[in-house]
Amino acid sequence: MVFRLKLILFLVLHFLPKVKSSMVSLNNNGYEDIVIAINPSVPENETLIQSIKEMVTEASTYLFHATERRVYFRNVSILIPVTWESKSEYLMPKQESYDQADVIVADPYLKYGDDPYTLQYGQCGEKGQYIHFTPNFLLTDNMSIYGPRGKVFVHEWAHLRWGVFDEYNVDRPFYISRKNTIEATRCSTHITGMNVVFNECKGGSCITRQCRRDSKTGLYEAKCTFIPNKSQTARDSIMFMQNLNSVTEFCTAKTHNTEAPNLQNKMCNHKSTWDVIKESDDFQNASPMTGTNLPPHPTFSLLKSKHRVVCLVLDKSGSMNTVDHLVSTRLLRMNQAAELYLIQIIEKGSMVGMVTFDSTAEIQNKLTKVINDNTYLKLTANLPKIASGGTSICNGLKAGFQAITYSNLSTFGAEIILLTDGEDDAISSCFEDIKQSGVIIHTIALGPSAAKELETLSNMTGGHRFYANKDINGLIDAFSRISSRSGNISQQALQLESKALNITRREWINGTVPVDSTIGNDTFFVVTWTIRKPEIILQDPKGKLYKTSDFKDDKLNIHSARLRIPDIAETGTWTYSLLNNHPNSQLLTVTMTTRARSPATLPIIATAHMNRNTAHYPSPMIVYARVSQGFLPVLGVNVTAIIETQDGQQVTLELWDNGIGADTVKNDGIYSRYFTDYHGNGRYSLKVHVQARKNTPRLSLRQQPNKALYIPGYVENGKIILNPLRPEVKDDVAESKMEEFSRLTSGGSFTVLGVPPKGNQTHVFPPGKIEDLEAEFKGDHIQLLWTAPGNVLDKGKAKSYNIRISKCFLDLQKDFDNAASVNTSALIPKEAGSKEIFEFKPEHFKIENGTKFYIAIQAINEANLTSEVSNIVQATKFIPPKETSIPALGTNISAISLTVLGLAAFICILN
């Protein structure tokens, strides 16, 4: 069963399309269409562009050698912000945009951290999201700290493109080796250096001393630091210290340190980085280049972003008259959502047009610049009022192209929002025109019969894809997600509330929405209904009331009323009440949107997506949600994913940021969970609701993982030569408390295939692997701690645990089932995510000072499927000596008490 799950996960990672819409391709050993985008907030600086070019050129040669002549960088596009002056050499982007860039250049938000890093939270071998360089890193001489910028770029490229992880660990910088020596967490172990504590630092020099041993753990004290020798002979590893002159390779199976407690070993099951890289799609199709010549230097294109151009292409065919579940026609719901988009979501300064189509198409609005309320009225006045005729999506798209080009603008980089509920067998006939247009198409499939090719349009153009089932909220959520792609977050509309409620006669409903201090500009409160306008009461945090008469009805009879909050919305909790004053039940919806309080205030944002666009039953999917302010993660919030099936069933999942199961790193602001509850085939939609209650949310100021390691100094001729010191985040300010807030966001849609009919589905998923097992002696007993997995991966409750113990590591690693069993009859598994504590006394073993045990655990579910074997831990019976010695690196410490998590490749040693 474990093999089957591994096979499923292998297919997930290697053969299914990913969500990230990177344009990068590998052709004849050369990477093409890499996009490096500069954030609009970065001041204009020609030197920055030159530095980017030099970094990539240097990186290309380094990458070529590091991959044994397999790959290099052929061409790169540098996306210039719209805020910079135009120049004749700047070309027009096609589908390149800031939010889909492979590399972004942006300030770090706080003074802490010019460390280059990669936003990477997928599984082993899965591509990352983007690489982040700060302008300061690119413009300042950081050679002694990070090494040449080209080598740093290759380190980050390995994170981004091949899904490998760092081979150091700032949280566990040392470990006990299988030879019972204290070692720095590194790869390879041939990299040498000194272990010291910095006592006092002034003017670039420090007083140091040798590291002392912690009498409880046997490891070095918390402030001990590994300082590498400047001169090394080791050639690997790029994922440890790419800054060392001798390092030119990735760790291979021969040189990989399987013992080190780093993320590479944890995430990739102790595989070397080179083994993971060789299994990537890139290397399956890239043989080493022959000859001795180096590849040509990369070429660069400078692309200048332009103001946003959007054209709505809306279906008004006969099927849009369909009434779903006695709610309202699809045409009405489309108009309600489109009106909200045009008034509340689209950014001022954008050029907007509109096309409607059935079997033919008509341009309702040529491109119009959004300036004021008159613009909105002009646009919304032409929303379709009647639905009839057939469905020709190609005609609609071609009319969209015409609406754009009528204004002498290029379709390159323009966006089309295509909404349809109909089928059209002829969509493929315009695929080539779409590719040539350079347009980005966002698709919204309304109802279960919408053309299956819609997702192809989004995928080929780098657009978003959405599915809306029966109520207006699905459409509103989709439109609200289609925001600016420029990187200017202060322009983007944010959803605070999106709720649909079926209200009976004369029933009141109440709700609250927190407005935090990062937002409040351009705030709207909107109510829609299906039969009659309800009574509305809205109260701000200071008690000011807005009543029904304050809400403006639309002029198109599309059953919606809107209140724009004057000036900046008050910070605090807003309260609303709605009364259905119609004799019959009706569906009411409530939507609240806003923007950043000011251009100088970075708002808290939430984004969400699935780990891929298509699921083939029975492979699991992973839901991801990122909550951040600027580039800083927001912790301690409740994140709920709502997944809706094609037939309207909903699955609710609480997402976790605990570093367990689907979650890669604890407390990084990425909340995730496995999704396995498939209810039939077809389109599914994802929506995420983030809620932060008082005193629980906090902003993490700690450095991001998956980064180029900051090196404090080097050892030269036996002396430590320090690098410039940087400001560090003190433990007491590493997290700052935040106020209450709420965010909603759509994660788009995904497709599920291969689900058998109800009644034919079998149990295929075992419990999740336990990855955080800890062990230590408590007297003559051993105490174990771990996080409970689920009955199905990370959901539910396992049936039982199987704990095995041995004095030899290999007994557990190679032959777990035949190792000595621990009696767990009194151990009843808790709900997934709970903390488990279990104590036992090793039976049939003689215990004395220095006795060592290795322990591992499996979970078993109700279908008797077993999880993978957990990380293997070591517990040693230790009676501390009266005097504490100070061992040097490599000193034998066989009689030291220790608790080691996740160590592998131990062998039985006779002490």
Side-chain angles (χ1 to χ4, degrees), residues 717-849:
N717 300 320
K719 295 183 179 180
I720 295 177
I721 309 299
L722 286 178
N723 283 322
L725 298 176
R726 65 172 180 176
E728 294 289 345
V729 181
K730 296 181 180 179
D731 290 340
D732 59 346
V733 295
E735 293 178 356
S736 61
K737 290 186 178 181
M738 305 177 71
E739 60 205 307
E740 263 189 291
F741 68 87
S742 176
R743 297 290 186 273
L744 286 107
T745 186
S746 170
S749 66
F750 60 99
T751 305
V752 174
L753 303 173
V755 179
K758 289 183 179 179
N760 293 340
Q761 298 182 22
T762 57
H763 294 282
V764 295
F765 299 111
K769 178 183 176 181
I770 296 166
E771 299 183 30
D772 63 342
L773 182 64
E774 301 179 29
E776 66 174 329
F777 263 96
K778 297 282 188 180
D780 286 337
H781 286 70
I782 295 176
Q783 183 185 77
L784 302 179
L785 297 93
W786 69 95
T787 303
N791 184 61
V792 174
L793 296 174
D794 57 8
K795 183 180 179 183
K797 186 188 302 183
K799 182 181 72 173
S800 61
Y801 290 114
N802 179 15
I803 300 175
R804 302 280 173 164
I805 184 170
S806 176
K807 287 192 172 183
C808 180
F809 179 90
L810 288 179
D811 284 351
L812 297 179
Q813 187 184 50
K814 302 293 186 182
D815 196 13
F816 175 84
D817 289 334
N818 287 323
S821 177
V822 174
N823 185 352
T824 60
S825 58
L827 177 57
I828 301 175
K830 296 179 181 177
E831 194 73 20
S834 304
K835 287 298 180 184
E836 300 273 27
I837 301 177
F838 178 66
E839 287 191 12
F840 68 95
K841 184 176 181 180
E843 302 290 343
H844 312 300
F845 290 103
K846 183 179 180 181
I847 301 174
E848 55 190 3
N849 192 27

Side-chain angles (χ1 to χ4, degrees), residues 115 140-146 201 203-206 710-714 721-728:
D115 290 346
T140 305
D141 181 10
N142 301 292
M143 182 78 74
S144 63
I145 298 173
Y146 303 104
C201 297
S205 63
C206 293
Y710 176 92
I711 306 300
Y714 300 91
I721 309 299
L722 286 178
N723 283 322
L725 298 176
R726 65 172 180 176
E728 294 289 345

Side-chain angles (χ1 to χ4, degrees), residues 623-636:
V623 188
Y624 290 115
R626 182 186 181 208
V627 187
S628 60
Q629 184 178 17
F631 296 106
L632 299 179
V634 177
L635 314 179

